Amino acid sequence: MDIQELRTRNPDHWMRATAIRALALDGVAAANSGHTGMPIGMADVATVLFSKHMKFDAKNPEWHDRDRFILSAGHGSMLIYSLLYLCGDPEVTLEEVKNFRQWGAKTAGHPENFLLKAVETTTGPLGQGIANSVGFAMAEEMLRGRFGKKLVNHHTYVIAGDGCLMEGVSQEAIGLAGRYELSNLIVFWDNNDITIDGKVSLSDRTDQVARFKASGWHVQEIDGHNADEIDAAITAAKADDRPSMIACKTHIALGHAAQDTSKGHGALTNEEQNVAAKANWGWTSGAFEVPAEIKSWWDEVGSRGAAEREAWEARLSESSAARQAEFERVMTGGAPKRLSAVVKQLKKQISEEKPKVATRKSSEMALSVINPIMPETCGGSADLTGSNNTLTADLGVFDTDNRKGRYVYWGIREHGMSSAMNGMALHGGIRPYSGTFMAFTDYARPAMRLAALMKTPTVFVMTHDSIGLGEDGPTHQPVEHLAISRATPNTLVFRPADTVETAEAWEIAMRQTSTPSVLSLTRQGLPTVRTEHKNANLVEKGAYVLAESEGKRQAIIMATGSEVEIALAARDLLQAEGIGTRVVSMPCWELFEQQDESYRRRVLPPSGPVRVAVEAANRMGWDRWLCGERGNAKKAAFVGMDGFGASAPAGTLYEKFGITAENVAEQVKSLL
């Protein structure tokens, strides 16, 4: 690549883009870590995008109808930090740029949405950004269908690299975007042919252009360093009614000694080489210095969207007060006032009728009263709609001819589904929930972890939650997945015992604004154990006394979900022998941990009764409640799984693995 030709072809553009290159070079060098090559290589694309096409106001980065920019290749974070500083984002000062990757800086090693308002999503794990972007684009379509084009009409732009497109989740995302014709989604592929190990050809020969075309995308191939080609390609992409991929042929670490090499992917810290690179670029300013005329131009880029924002605010103000309030409510994630009332009404009905149903059905019953009063909910399933019970009558199906539809057929794409749901939640205005079997938490896990990290209130409906699913066998019987979910910070894991607890769990999940929820639900029918109606949401306490001992309390049996009925039956056996036994239902450990110590001590007294826990999963995590919190390891036992399940009817499995009332009672007596 002839740098001199690039410098003379469009000198103004070149120097404006080189401001990004220089800041990226300086930031990574100062930190002595990071990834320099991608920001240098994609600076031209970013400059054209932000200056000629992006609808944004740097001083108001959370304006609802802004265009969304997602850096899927999140390792190149200095690209977005340089852009934000140049455009005048008040959070990204020059000092923040200088403190790249340092303790307390908002300019973290990878972009983090909870540190900077202008960072739409946390990226770094490759492929997540492009998968999130599908959710962003779907949310935009759904909200436009509901509120109209005057209030919702924006694009989602993505920069993705070779690594993003190698990750399997990218194909799930690409297939979804093509199927649903997400025309406001535009992806720039940084086609630099370099990975950490070397040339892409070391490990891949995929024709990415053909791949996107096969999935229903509009595709263009351009020189990623030619401003005119970039501009024309974006214009054409915006005019097409399909999602667009623009394959940008670029040079990683353009103009540096490491250009077009794997070395260029990482941190370029050699001072002599960096000085030479700046000389090649024609950049004469010192470290972290941007000439006044260039910074002024970028400041104008960052401020020109203010007029569009003000015009949008005027259009919003022309709406009725009720419409404005509803728009603001859904965009900020507030729950409707009626939520508690409809859940209480359902709980009262269930306590009176006492049905025996699977909690996956209980979940459907709860959603049937919640979805009508929360038009922002969006349900779905990874090709398991009839098994997950996530579709209610009022939703309608999201499709190319029905953008108001609120149910998504995600196909067999657990990872893409979960990542896209995160994108919906991050976009705002949509409350996403979708289901699969709990064993397939493994497929969704990267997105579930990022939901917790990003503080998105995504709801993951995980049915068939134990050996109780029966004949499908150990491939489908989760034994470790509760522990995995509970081990994840900032995650609420609910395993309700009946319909009442399920409804309460849904109410809590729908009130979250910064915490995802995992609902662990049964295939097999469970009796109603909450037969006395209470207005209070007991699941909100995380754990509570479901059945008190009669006579002197000698034992406490703790259980969740389908094993609560076993705990109650064991209590009956023990009470018949004069052994006073309390049963504690523990539907959400995380909420129990949040209670004050005095409440936890009332539920689980620190001394005296022996403790037995029963759950059709592995023991991991239970020792805190059995032996910790002033418990006694010598007076504690666990009844559950210590290996994988088997293929047989559910009743047989519970008997063979010893998860029975009789065994629980025997464990209690052995400790006394």
Side-chain angles (χ1 to χ4, degrees):
M1 172 62 63
D2 187 340
I3 298 297
Q4 189 60 38
E5 179 186 341
L6 290 176
R7 288 173 55 180
T8 57
R9 177 195 295 165
N10 190 335
D12 288 341
H13 162 81
W14 172 262
M15 294 308 291
R16 293 160 182 168
T18 296
I20 297 172
R21 296 184 177 97
L23 287 171
L25 194 68
D26 293 338
V28 173
N32 200 34
S33 73
H35 301 79
T36 320
M38 191 283 279
I40 291 175
M42 286 298 284
D44 295 300
V45 171
T47 299
V48 174
L49 173 64
F50 272 68
S51 66
K52 294 191 174 184
H53 295 276
M54 274 279 290
K55 180 174 69 172
F56 74 107
D57 178 359
K59 297 292 193 296
N60 292 272
E62 295 180 304
W63 162 37
H64 294 318
D65 199 38
R66 67 192 180 276
D67 286 342
R68 271 66 170 177
F69 173 68
I70 296 172
L71 187 65
S72 189
H75 57 277
S77 55
M78 271 305 303
L79 176 71
I80 195 168
Y81 301 146
S82 299
L83 283 163
L84 294 178
Y85 163 66
L86 289 169
C87 289
D89 186 298
E91 289 190 301
V92 186
T93 62
L94 186 59
E95 196 62 26
E96 285 288 351
V97 176
K98 291 179 178 179
N99 286 331
F100 176 55
R101 286 183 164 233
Q102 304 309 300
W103 175 261
K106 295 179 182 294
T107 48
H110 293 86
E112 296 177 3
N113 69 301
F114 49 87
L115 293 181
L116 289 171
K117 294 175 183 176
V119 171
E120 302 287 357
T121 180
T122 297
T123 55
L126 294 177
Q128 287 298 319
I130 191 172
N132 290 160
S133 75
V134 172
F136 275 85
M138 292 175 79
E140 193 269 347
E141 292 279 7
M142 291 174 180
L143 289 166
R144 181 150 35 91
R146 181 182 177 194
F147 290 102
K149 198 170 184 177
K150 287 185 177 181
L151 295 185
V152 184
N153 186 28
H154 52 263
H155 287 80
T156 298
Y157 296 102
V158 184
I159 288 180
D162 296 300
C164 292
L165 300 191
M166 285 191 206
E167 290 287 357
V169 70
S170 71
Q171 183 54 45
E172 296 184 25
I174 292 164
L176 284 164
R179 166 61 183 84
Y180 290 116
E181 298 179 11
L182 304 179
S183 60
N184 279 5
L185 175 60
I186 298 174
V187 173
F188 301 93
W189 170 34
D190 179 18
N191 179 18
N192 60 39
D193 196 35
I194 292 294
T195 67
I196 292 175
D197 282 349
K199 291 283 189 181
V200 168
S201 57
L202 281 172
S203 57
D204 193 45
R205 63 185 299 173
T206 303
D207 183 337
Q208 298 291 357
V209 168
R211 175 187 173 207
F212 275 82
K213 286 181 178 178
S215 296
W217 287 58
H218 171 237
V219 182
Q220 303 171 79
E221 297 181 75
I222 64 169
D223 175 354
H225 301 299
N226 186 314
D228 292 336
E229 287 190 27
I230 297 165
D231 184 24
I234 299 172
T235 299
K238 289 161 70 175
D240 201 275
D241 59 5
R242 295 165 290 177
S244 286
M245 189 272 267
I246 302 173
C248 306
K249 186 58 185 171
T250 61
H251 294 268
I252 200 166
L254 177 70
H256 192 279
Q259 178 180 319
D260 298 331
T261 70
S262 59
K263 172 65 177 173
H265 172 88
L268 302 180
T269 58
N270 182 286
E271 185 175 356
E272 290 184 6
Q273 291 181 350
N274 289 354
V275 169
K278 287 185 176 181
N280 282 341
W281 300 335
W283 190 260
T284 58
S285 300
F288 297 106
E289 291 181 2
V290 178
E293 66 274 15
I294 294 177
K295 183 64 171 72
S296 177
W297 181 85
W298 274 109
D299 282 334
E300 196 275 329
V301 168
S303 63
R304 70 175 58 147
E308 284 189 276
R309 174 183 54 78
E310 290 167 0
W312 176 85
E313 289 171 346
R315 293 196 297 275
L316 178 63
S317 68
E318 293 168 0
S319 303
S320 68
R323 186 173 175 82
Q324 289 183 57
E326 176 67 0
F327 183 80
E328 189 63 26
R329 180 187 72 79
V330 300
M331 291 304 294
T332 55
K337 295 178 180 179
R338 292 178 57 203
L339 178 61
S340 180
V342 299
V343 170
K344 286 176 184 175
Q345 185 177 4
L346 175 62
K347 286 164 52 180
K348 188 173 188 297
Q349 175 189 339
I350 296 302
S351 295
E352 292 171 353
E353 296 177 357
K354 304 176 181 60
K356 180 177 181 178
V357 295
T359 50
R360 58 175 175 151
K361 179 64 177 178
S362 303
S363 174
E364 181 184 19
M365 295 163 71
L367 288 169
S368 293
V369 301
I370 291 171
N371 281 337
I373 66 160
M374 293 188 71
E376 67 269 32
T377 58
C378 173
S381 170
D383 201 51
L384 291 166
T385 295
S387 296
N388 298 148
N389 295 87
T390 43
L391 175 61
T392 60
D394 60 307
L395 290 181
V397 176
F398 176 79
D399 210 335
T400 54
D401 60 352
N402 184 22
R403 296 313 203 190
K404 294 182 180 180
R406 296 162 54 199
Y407 192 81
V408 179
Y409 287 107
W410 294 103
I412 306 92
R413 300 183 178 98
E414 290 86 359
H415 195 176
M417 170 184 80
S418 301
S419 297
M421 284 200 296
N422 287 344
M424 288 179 171
L426 288 163
H427 178 281
I430 302 295
R431 280 270 184 181
Y433 71 87
S434 287
T436 187
F437 288 173
M438 191 161 193
F440 303 149
T441 296
D442 293 331
Y443 289 145
R445 169 69 186 157
M448 295 172 74
R449 179 178 185 270
L450 281 171
L453 177 64
M454 295 190 292
K455 305 178 182 179
T456 66
T458 314
V459 181
F460 302 96
V461 181
M462 299 299 181
T463 70
H464 297 60
D465 73 342
S466 72
I467 61 170
L469 71 87
E471 293 85 346
D472 275 346
T475 58
H476 286 52
Q477 293 167 2
V479 292
E480 73 273 36
H481 300 77
L482 276 169
I484 291 170
S485 295
R486 287 168 176 161
T488 306
N490 190 40
T491 301
L492 297 180
V493 183
F494 297 97
R495 191 162 187 256
D498 66 1
T499 304
V500 175
E501 283 195 354
T502 304
E504 290 181 342
W506 267 111
E507 180 184 359
I508 296 164
M510 289 291 100
R511 291 194 183 282
Q512 298 307 305
T513 57
S514 58
T515 302
S517 299
V518 178
L519 272 71
S520 175
L521 307 172
T522 68
R523 178 193 184 222
Q524 73 272 32
L526 304 181
T528 300
V529 298
R530 287 273 295 280
T531 55
E532 180 184 348
H533 173 66
K534 293 184 182 297
N535 281 328
N537 186 322
L538 299 186
V539 170
E540 206 160 34
K541 293 290 188 181
Y544 61 93
V545 177
L546 178 61
E548 188 54 279
S549 61
E550 297 173 12
K552 181 183 177 182
R553 187 190 309 126
Q554 299 180 63
I556 297 176
I557 303 175
M558 300 173 283
T560 72
S562 48
E563 287 68 68
V564 170
E565 69 166 311
I566 293 174
L568 290 169
R571 174 186 178 274
D572 291 342
L573 295 175
L574 292 165
Q575 288 289 167
E577 297 184 36
I579 301 172
T581 303
R582 167 185 283 186
V583 171
V584 173
S585 179
M586 300 187 71
C588 184
W589 293 6
E590 296 78 25
L591 291 177
F592 189 48
E593 289 172 0
Q594 293 172 18
Q595 306 308 308
D596 58 52
E597 185 179 5
S598 62
Y599 176 78
R600 295 201 307 270
R601 286 167 65 99
R602 289 199 303 273
V603 175
L604 297 176
S607 61
V610 301
R611 300 182 186 182
V612 173
V614 53
E615 187 173 69
N618 70 26
R619 179 170 179 155
M620 186 174 290
W622 271 106
D623 282 339
R624 171 169 184 184
W625 313 117
L626 286 168
C627 311
E629 294 273 314
R630 297 185 177 85
N632 187 332
K634 294 181 179 179
K635 293 186 176 182
F638 176 74
V639 176
M641 301 294 293
D642 58 9
F644 292 110
S647 179
T652 301
L653 292 169
Y654 272 83
E655 179 183 352
K656 295 296 185 182
F657 286 108
I659 307 175
T660 64
E662 291 76 14
N663 188 31
V664 173
E666 286 301 317
Q667 292 294 325
V668 169
K669 288 189 285 186
S670 71
L671 297 171
L672 292 173

